[in-house]
Amino acid sequence: MLAPMLPSFLLVVLLVELTPGPNMGWLALLSASEGRRAGFAATAGIALGLAIVAAASALGLAQLAQSSPFVFNLLRYAGAGFLLYLAWEAWVGERELSPSTVHRHRPPVKHFRRGLIINLLNPKAALFFVVVLPVYIAPTQSIALQTVQLSVAYVAVATMIHATIVLLAGRAHRWLSTDAHAQTARRAFAVLLAGIAVWFFVDTFQ
């Protein structure tokens, strides 16, 4: 049985992952300058890092839901607040930790390792799984199963977007390097994210 809120969760993931930021710019620049092999290696590292963070978060959420349903529900409300924070951050300009330069002539394993470490050490990734993912879990169904499904969906969508950036590296890098384009996209996604967060608050308190 699929998680009942999977479609709406996928929409949020798409908005978050499509919002231009330093990590996206780094991946485009890396692929444009060193080729798709380096870009795909970095994408694989990013995917593994997200999967590890998701797995750790899933175990913690399942245990929390069983031991303290009240705290678990509070996390769901905090998730909506975190979406508002992501919307504000996207509006003013993303500041997440990301490599600012590309190291040329490195073997693919170096880029894989770099992508892996960045996501393992990125607190925003862990925070997303801990406080946003519970928003899209129906407490009346298996929380563990839903958590696994949503986590896998997140990693799959993020990896698909990153792989697309690698394939379109030249054009993506030129587009992301244009401040006006990046700012317009960020603010559009910010409005959509804020709208989703407000919808959740209103729907929950009815």
Side-chain angles (χ1 to χ4, degrees), residues 10 16 34 49 71 81 87-88 107 127-128 131 139 143 145 156 162 169 178 195 202:
L10 289 175
V16 170
E34 294 202 39
V71 175
W88 173 82
L127 196 58
F128 184 93
V131 300
I143 291 177
L145 179 60
H162 295 156
T178 304
V202 172

Side-chain angles (χ1 to χ4, degrees), residues 56-68:
S57 301
L59 290 174
L61 286 174
Q63 293 178 354
L64 179 62
Q66 292 179 350
S67 62
S68 181

Side-chain angles (χ1 to χ4, degrees), residues 20-184:
N23 280 339
M24 187 181 291
W26 168 66
L27 192 57
L29 177 58
L30 172 65
S31 304
S33 61
E34 294 202 39
R36 292 177 178 175
R37 186 181 180 189
F40 283 129
T43 298
I46 292 171
L48 179 58
L50 287 175
I52 292 173
V53 172
S57 301
L59 290 174
L61 286 174
Q63 293 178 354
L64 179 62
Q66 292 179 350
S67 62
S68 181
F70 175 74
V71 175
F72 181 77
N73 285 327
L74 285 181
L75 269 182
R76 298 179 73 239
Y77 298 125
F82 185 62
L83 286 178
L84 285 175
Y85 167 75
L86 289 179
W88 173 82
E89 189 177 52
W91 183 271
V92 300
E94 194 138 345
R95 295 182 176 87
E96 68 181 54
L97 180 63
S98 177
S100 58
T101 59
V102 173
H103 297 273
R104 296 180 180 275
H105 309 302
R106 283 191 170 188
V109 68
K110 297 289 186 180
H111 300 301
F112 172 86
R113 187 183 306 154
R114 194 173 183 88
L116 171 62
I117 292 174
I118 287 169
N119 280 272
L120 288 177
L121 298 181
N122 185 357
K124 184 185 294 184
L127 196 58
F128 184 93
F129 284 111
V130 171
V131 300
V132 175
L133 190 143
V135 172
Y136 297 92
I137 290 178
T140 56
Q141 298 187 19
S142 171
I143 291 177
L145 179 60
Q146 291 180 82
T147 301
V148 170
Q149 290 180 0
L150 296 179
S151 299
V152 170
Y154 183 99
V155 176
V157 170
T159 302
M160 178 187 67
I161 292 174
H162 295 156
T164 301
I165 292 173
V166 172
L167 291 172
L168 303 175
R171 293 182 179 180
H173 175 53
R174 286 193 295 271
W175 194 88
L176 289 168
S177 297
T178 304
D179 290 340
H181 289 165
Q183 183 182 60
T184 299

